[in-house]
């Protein structure tokens, strides 16, 4: 499975942001790439006051452009995330995945909203505008079952364990850590979830933009089921290429059977249907 993770920053024009993403893909990503991934809010400035203004319903312009891109490239596209509006006027931070024919095969609304107040550091409150999602998301491909979540979800181990229990051997995470949390917790968060759940995790980040009110940390990375960082970018725009075999997750789970040795007779973890 060949992957390409696109690290970029959004512009103030959503169509220009998409055009920039498409240009990077056309110029730098080989035609035989199986999976292309974009970062969180790749087509919207990461600001609370921007989410409602940039939001579109499922099937809107940005959705259609991403679907067409996947179909044209004959690849899977983890289309980062974008603000989604529903019929009740609620706004979500939503990630879509399209298959090689441009069909939507997964949709994840960010479950854990980024509300933080760090002394002498970052202040941000997504819940001022956004509504939280409520579903664990996994989807099937010819390579196997894969999970999907968004940025702050990485900090909640229950999400990744539930995806693992539902058969995911890899998870795509569009994200945008900042300059306070990124240096402290970015790599640590991805490596810990990967090693505890014995899965590949692809964190695709926004690049750092000094002119933005929200300075992203960047450092797009790929982590394998042993917890090793197999590739990582710096803070600049770029593309991270990886070639992975999801069978490695099965091999490690067999040799070190963490999921099998859980004490389900004492505790259980389940979603509420």
């Amino acid at each position: 499975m060949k992957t390409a993770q696109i690290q970029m920053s959004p512009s103030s024009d959503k169509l220009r942001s998409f055009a920039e993403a498409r240009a990077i893909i056309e110029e730098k990503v080989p035609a035989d790439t199986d999976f292309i991934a974009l970062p969180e809010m790749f087509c919207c400035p990461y600001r609370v006051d921007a989410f409602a203004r940039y939001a579109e319903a499922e099937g809107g312009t940005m959705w259609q452009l991403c679907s067409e891109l996947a179909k044209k490239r004959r690849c899977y596209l983890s289309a980062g995330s974008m603000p989604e509006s529903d019929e009740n006027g609620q706004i979500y931070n939503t990630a879509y995945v399209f298959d090689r024919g441009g069909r939507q095969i997964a949709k994840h609304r960010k479950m854990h909203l980024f509300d933080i107040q760090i002394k002498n550091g970052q202040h941000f409150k997504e819940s001022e505008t956004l509504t939280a999602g409520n579903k664990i998301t996994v989807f099937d491909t010819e390579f196997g079952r894969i999970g999907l979540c968004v940025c702050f979800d990485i900090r909640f181990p229950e999400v990744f364990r539930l995806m693992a229990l539902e058969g995911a051997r890899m998870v795509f995470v569009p994200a945008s850590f900042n300059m306070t949390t990124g240096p402290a917790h970015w790599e640590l968060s991805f490596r810990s979830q990967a090693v505890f759940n014995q899965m590949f995790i692809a964190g695709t980040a926004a690049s750092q933009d000094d002119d933005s009110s929200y300075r992203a940390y960047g450092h797009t990375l790929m982590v394998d089921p042993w917890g090793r960082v197999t590739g990582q970018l710096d803070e600049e725009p770029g593309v991270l290429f990886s070639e992975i075999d999801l069978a490695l997750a099965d091999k490690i789970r067999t040799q070190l059977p963490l999921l099998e040795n859980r004490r389900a007779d004492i505790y259980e973890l389940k979603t509420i249907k």
Side-chain angles (χ1 to χ4, degrees), residues 103-174:
R103 295 173 289 269
Q104 178 185 308
I105 57 172
K107 173 182 177 177
H108 180 81
R109 289 170 167 171
K110 189 175 186 178
M111 296 175 64
H112 302 89
L113 299 183
F114 184 56
D115 288 1
I116 66 165
Q117 176 64 68
I118 297 176
K119 185 177 181 180
N120 300 321
Q122 186 72 32
H123 167 70
F124 207 88
K125 195 170 184 180
E126 280 188 328
S127 64
E128 290 178 355
T129 305
L130 299 178
T131 299
N134 58 9
K135 291 184 179 179
I136 300 296
T137 306
V138 297
F139 58 96
D140 292 312
T141 71
E142 71 256 38
F143 305 103
R145 182 162 286 186
I146 295 173
L148 178 69
C149 65
V150 177
C151 198
F152 203 47
D153 290 335
I154 189 76
R155 292 184 178 272
F156 298 86
E158 299 87 352
V159 175
F160 284 79
R161 179 51 51 89
L162 285 165
M163 287 189 285
L165 293 176
E166 292 191 19
R169 295 183 292 168
M170 180 175 185
V171 178
F172 280 92
V173 187

Side-chain angles (χ1 to χ4, degrees), residues 11-26:
S11 73
S12 59
D13 183 326
K14 66 175 74 174
L15 293 177
R16 189 190 314 151
S17 295
F18 178 81
E20 290 175 1
R22 181 175 57 196
I24 293 170
I25 292 167
E26 290 176 349

